[in-house]
Amino acid sequence: MAVGSGSALAAPAAEQADTTTEATAEASAEKVSHKAGALLLQQLPPSRPLIAVAHRGASGYAPENTLAAIDEAYRLGAETVEVDVQLTSDDHLVLMHDTRLDRTTDVAEVFPGRASYDLADFTLAEIQRLDAGASFSDEFAGEPVPLLGEALDRLHSYDMNLLLEIKKPALYPGIEHQISVELARRPHWLVPNAPDEPFRLVVQSFDWDSTRVSKGLLPSIPHALLGRVPEAEIGQYAWAHMINPNHTTIDADYVGAVHDAGLEIMPYTINDPARMRQVLEMGVDGFITDFPDVGQEAIAEFLAGTSAAAREYAAQQEQELAQQEQQAQQEQQEEPELAQEQDLELVSN
């Protein structure tokens, strides 16, 4: 685990070594990413499974954006986790949704009277003193704010997938580059899953310019636009792979428009099973939820219902076909009899 920032008086040789390491990692990222990109283009997915993405981990059961929430998502059988990433004042990538620390941590107790509780004003060493679990439940007291690298390693150990949201990138110039370097240190995340599996990694943001910058740095990685892209403008974002809007802003026509543009769609954040069923009926490719187990159950019921409907339709078609064949056979039997009657009628005349 990385701790704190380096000394401001670090030797020039150390700085040069860090720069060399980062440059090597970046070059590795580009090499692996472009190779994976070529593979991705050859493996256009015929159909990926519907998934219930664990929002900030299984945040309905554990403190959001923590390793505990990732652990819980894994325990509940989730395939994919969504997390939010921001930068500390000394440029370390950490998981955090809010730009302020006081909703999910005990920062006000640890640093009373601090002029700002903005994450961007805290070093990693300071953030590592915070408790990110007790505000959710005493059961999780002492749960730390994790580094992105720690989350990547935990997810990899579970063979889980990731939706990585770049949070408020305008506050953190260059965060897209920082993320690409972090991923380069873990090439596993730059290689795509099989085409019939969920994406291994999707990078997304509400800031679509930032998303485009990230796509340029990670060309093989699928990228998603968070929020509702106006229907008339969807075609302008052909470089993206997904559009993930608020579920309250979509209908079946909008889902169809996204699919017609060759993109996938996974709305957020849906915790009501009835609403899950509604968006599934609209044709979405999955959805984001705080309760991945509830989401998986909704998907299973939907697929079972779809299969049952398909079986019923097939049975009806089979019955109609049997009736048509029976009628055809009856007509064939009647034809000779009719011809014989006509012949007899001619003879008698």
Side-chain angles (χ1 to χ4, degrees):
M1 182 187 301
V3 292
S5 61
S7 168
L9 301 177
E15 293 179 359
Q16 183 176 358
D18 289 343
T19 303
T20 302
T21 300
E22 182 172 312
T24 302
E26 186 176 1
S28 174
E30 185 174 0
K31 182 177 180 181
V32 175
S33 186
H34 278 91
K35 182 183 291 186
L39 179 60
L40 189 65
L41 289 174
Q42 296 169 11
Q43 296 181 340
L44 295 177
S47 178
R48 263 181 289 277
L50 293 170
I51 57 172
V53 178
H55 184 231
R56 308 176 198 170
S59 57
Y61 303 105
E64 65 184 59
N65 281 314
T66 63
L67 296 182
I70 293 175
D71 293 341
E72 187 65 11
Y74 173 72
R75 188 187 71 80
L76 294 170
E79 294 182 87
T80 302
V81 165
E82 182 269 350
V83 300
D84 308 288
V85 179
Q86 299 185 58
L87 272 175
T88 65
S89 64
D90 50 347
D91 292 334
H92 290 275
L93 293 161
V94 295
L95 303 196
M96 184 65 60
H97 176 270
D98 298 4
T99 57
R100 290 175 57 93
L101 296 164
D102 47 348
R103 180 178 67 86
T104 58
T105 76
D106 59 349
V107 65
E109 299 175 19
V110 179
F111 298 98
R114 184 92 169 226
S116 167
Y117 289 137
D118 289 346
L119 183 151
D121 293 329
F122 283 74
T123 65
L124 177 62
E126 290 173 326
I127 287 176
Q128 288 181 325
R129 294 175 57 188
L130 304 179
D131 184 336
S135 62
F136 183 88
S137 167
D138 291 341
E139 175 188 352
F140 297 100
E143 185 71 24
V145 175
L147 289 157
L148 172 61
E150 293 174 324
L152 291 173
D153 291 342
R154 185 66 60 88
L155 289 164
H156 186 186
S157 73
Y158 289 149
D159 194 26
M160 298 178 79
N161 309 303
L162 174 63
L163 262 64
L164 191 161
E165 180 180 346
I166 308 174
K167 204 71 184 178
K168 300 291 184 182
L171 297 176
Y172 312 107
I175 188 173
E176 302 89 355
H177 169 77
Q178 296 275 70
I179 290 171
S180 71
V181 170
E182 190 69 33
L183 291 169
R185 297 188 176 110
R186 296 166 173 81
H188 162 82
W189 291 101
L190 301 179
V191 179
N193 281 340
D196 59 346
E197 297 178 359
F199 287 123
R200 175 169 294 170
L201 170 66
V202 176
V203 178
Q204 61 182 4
S205 180
F206 285 99
D207 186 324
W208 302 341
D209 290 335
S210 172
T211 311
R212 185 65 185 266
V213 170
S214 178
K215 179 64 176 175
L217 293 167
L218 298 166
S220 74
I221 301 301
H223 281 65
L225 307 171
L226 278 168
R228 189 184 193 279
V229 178
E231 198 166 329
E233 299 176 14
I234 292 175
Q236 300 175 22
Y237 296 93
W239 52 268
H241 291 75
M242 305 173 75
I243 294 175
N244 297 338
N246 188 306
H247 71 96
T248 63
T249 67
I250 66 170
D251 56 20
D253 289 341
Y254 186 79
V255 173
V258 172
H259 285 159
D260 288 345
L263 308 180
E264 296 184 20
I265 180 169
M266 291 193 187
Y268 67 90
T269 302
I270 310 175
N271 294 327
D272 175 46
R275 182 57 178 168
M276 293 174 182
R277 175 77 188 197
Q278 288 174 350
V279 299
L280 288 169
E281 290 174 348
M282 293 178 194
V284 300
D285 301 287
F287 51 82
I288 301 170
T289 176
D290 297 334
F291 301 95
D293 54 334
V294 177
Q296 290 172 95
E297 184 176 347
I299 289 172
E301 291 177 355
F302 170 75
L303 292 176
T306 301
S307 298
R311 287 194 298 271
E312 182 178 352
Y313 176 77
Q316 290 176 348
Q317 293 293 100
E318 186 176 351
Q319 184 178 6
E320 290 178 6
L321 181 61
Q323 291 173 346
Q324 291 173 0
E325 290 178 350
Q326 184 178 6
Q327 183 177 355
Q329 290 175 356
Q330 184 175 353
E331 290 175 352
Q332 288 176 354
Q333 292 173 353
E334 292 175 350
E335 283 179 1
E337 294 177 1
L338 179 61
Q340 186 176 8
E341 290 177 0
Q342 291 175 343
D343 291 343
L344 290 173
E345 186 176 343
L346 289 173
V347 171
S348 62
N349 290 333

